[in-house]
Structure formats: C-alpha cells, structure tokens
C-alpha cells in the first residue's frame, strides 16, 4: 500500500545550489501535504505544508509545489546548505478517516556537499 | 517552543514481555498519535486518539497494542507481548489544527 512514494532514495547537491525533492501520491482524497526533515534517532521535524487547494507555498528557502492533476508535489530548497543534509519525508493527510492520520513516503536522503 | 516528550529514549526487552512507551503531548493539542519506523523503512501510522478514544487505527495495531491517556497529560502505548518484529522507533505526535508535532522517539529493541 504505497499511497505516497518518493522514488529517489538519495540526492546529492552542492552547497548554494537548488535541491529538488519529489513526491508522488495515488489517493486523490488527500487534502493536505507536509514535508518533514529527519535526523537519525530524532523525530520528524516539520518544514512546510500545502493545502490541496493551493499550488505553491513558500517559507524562506523552502518552497513546496503541488500539481494535483499529476498527483505530484516537490520541495525546493534554495540555496542549499550543509545543515540541510538529512532525510526528507513527504506526508499526506486524509481527513475522511476520522483520525487525520498522515501517510508518509519512504524518504529521500539529501546530502549537501561543500 | 512546546515539545512532545517521549520516554524512555531506548528500551530493550525480551520477546514476550510487555512494554509501555510513554509520551507527554503538547497540552492544548486535541489529537494524539503513535507512529513507528522499522529500520530502513518508512514511518507508519499506528493509531490516532481523540476525545479519550481511538479514532482510527491501522492493520498493524492489533490486539497486542493498546493506548491510554490515563491522567490528561500522559499518552501511553502498551505492547502486551512483544515480538522480534516490534523492534522499531516509535514516535508519538500531537495535533492541533494543522500543526503536527512529533516527539524524538523511543527505540524499542526486542531480543
């Protein structure tokens, strides 16, 4: 049951350049999408989110784009910094189940090199 | 900034033993969750809790699992008889509005 997929397990980017992390989903009932950053042995840390009624949300160096027709979202980080090196998860919310649960993708390991 | 606190950070238990994982969610949050991440895999939903009852649970959350909010501040996950495959990081989360906040997790190792 892979309703949320991140097809790139890893991504390597040079410092100062743009990082683009991608996420695809299959359930058109998802109404809210989030990106989390995770370090080993720590919990996911919220980065940015977007409602399904929008196509872009920006917060500082982070921008999330949503293409509902393609069931695709992406996270852009610009400029990338070494401290951005972590695993990035996209997550999608389904409000209809009653619990507002999140479904996570498998994660993309981002490495920002000097 | 308010935090979700989880204890212990690491728990080692023998197969068949009962374990209780503890969480203190953010006080004015309304929904409480348990998720787990088996090493190398994705974060998986276990259960959501709202208004003192389970609002949704996954297939993973079978009769061996239970949750409780005994005193209005703590939120616990009990695994009655642990199996080797229960070894994972367990994350507690709480939600108000659209803000989900996760704890730093409990690493459960079943030997």
């Amino acid at each position: 049951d892979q309703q949320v997929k991140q097809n790139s397990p890893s991504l390597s980017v040079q410092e100062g350049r743009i990082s683009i992390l991608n996420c695809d989903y299959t359930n058109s009932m998802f109404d809210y999408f989030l990106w989390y950053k995770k370090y080993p042995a720590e919990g996911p840390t919220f980065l940015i989110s977007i409602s399904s009624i929008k196509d872009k949300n920006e917060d500082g160096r982070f921008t999330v784009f949503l293409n509902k027709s393609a069931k695709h979202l992406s996270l852009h980080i610009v400029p990338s910094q070494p401290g951005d090196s972590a695993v990035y998860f996209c997550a999608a919310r389904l409000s209809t189940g009653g619990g507002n649960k999140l479904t996570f993708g498998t994660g993309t390991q981002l490495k920002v090199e000097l | 900034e308010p935090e979700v606190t989880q204890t212990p950070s690491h728990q080692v238990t023998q197969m068949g033993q009962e374990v209780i994982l503890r969480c203190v969610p953010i006080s004015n949050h309304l929904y409480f969750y348990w998720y787990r991440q088996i090493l190398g895999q994705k974060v998986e939903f276990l259960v959501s809790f709202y208004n003192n009852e389970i609002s949704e649970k996954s297939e993973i959350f079978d009769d061996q699992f239970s949750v409780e909010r005994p005193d209005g501040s703590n939120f616990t996950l009990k695994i009655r008889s642990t199996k080797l495959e229960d070894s994972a990081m367990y994350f507690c989360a709480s939600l108000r509005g659209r803000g989900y906040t996760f704890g730093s997790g409990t690493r459960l190792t079943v030997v």
Side-chain angles (χ1 to χ4, degrees):
Chain A
D1 175 21
Q2 290 198 42
Q3 296 190 70
V4 180
K5 293 183 197 177
Q6 293 174 257
N7 290 320
S8 299
S10 64
L11 174 68
S12 188
V13 169
Q14 278 201 316
E15 183 181 11
R17 308 293 280 265
I18 186 170
S19 296
I20 301 177
L21 298 104
N22 293 302
C23 180
D24 296 293
Y25 62 96
T26 56
N27 192 338
S28 57
M29 299 299 291
F30 287 138
D31 61 352
Y32 193 62
F33 302 90
L34 307 92
W35 282 95
Y36 283 87
K37 177 179 178 180
K38 188 179 178 302
Y39 295 112
E42 291 186 16
T45 303
F46 172 74
L47 278 175
I48 192 168
S49 60
I50 188 167
S51 164
S52 61
I53 62 172
K54 297 193 171 182
D55 55 19
K56 178 182 174 182
N57 188 26
E58 191 172 350
D59 184 3
R61 295 187 298 116
F62 302 94
T63 304
V64 56
F65 295 93
L66 175 63
N67 182 335
K68 278 190 71 176
S69 60
K71 293 192 178 71
H72 176 84
L73 65 154
S74 60
L75 173 68
H76 292 210
I77 307 172
V78 56
S80 302
Q81 298 172 353
D84 295 330
S85 297
V87 179
Y88 289 76
F89 289 95
C90 69
R93 184 185 77 178
L94 191 68
S95 301
T96 54
N100 290 305
K101 72 175 186 184
L102 296 179
T103 300
F104 283 83
T106 48
T108 296
Q109 172 80 57
L110 173 66
K111 184 175 180 184
V112 180
E113 297 171 320
L114 297 170
Chain B
E1 190 171 326
E3 288 184 342
V4 173
T5 306
Q6 289 187 245
T7 54
S9 57
H10 191 186
Q11 172 105 37
V12 181
T13 189
Q14 286 203 324
M15 192 169 54
Q17 295 296 304
E18 175 183 286
V19 292
I20 298 176
L21 309 183
R22 302 182 191 279
C23 169
V24 179
I26 295 173
S27 59
N28 63 350
H29 281 198
L30 302 176
Y31 284 85
F32 311 107
Y33 301 85
W34 285 100
Y35 290 81
R36 79 172 185 191
Q37 184 183 27
I38 294 171
L39 187 63
Q41 299 186 23
K42 65 178 181 179
V43 178
E44 301 175 289
F45 167 77
L46 291 178
V47 65
S48 62
F49 193 84
Y50 172 74
N51 202 24
N52 285 319
E53 60 183 21
I54 291 174
S55 52
E56 192 175 357
K57 60 183 180 179
S58 71
E59 292 177 356
I60 303 167
F61 194 88
D62 62 21
D63 292 344
Q64 292 300 311
F65 291 87
S66 63
V67 288
E68 203 173 42
R69 189 160 158 78
D71 56 11
S73 64
N74 292 285
F75 179 51
T76 61
L77 174 70
K78 183 193 290 186
I79 309 175
R80 254 178 281 280
S81 176
T82 50
K83 304 188 279 284
L84 294 176
E85 53 265 38
D86 293 328
S87 295
M89 282 288 287
Y90 287 79
F91 296 105
C92 173
S94 65
L95 166 69
R96 183 180 179 92
R98 289 176 167 177
Y100 296 83
T101 304
F102 284 80
S104 55
T106 293
R107 177 171 297 284
L108 177 65
T109 304
V110 183
V111 296

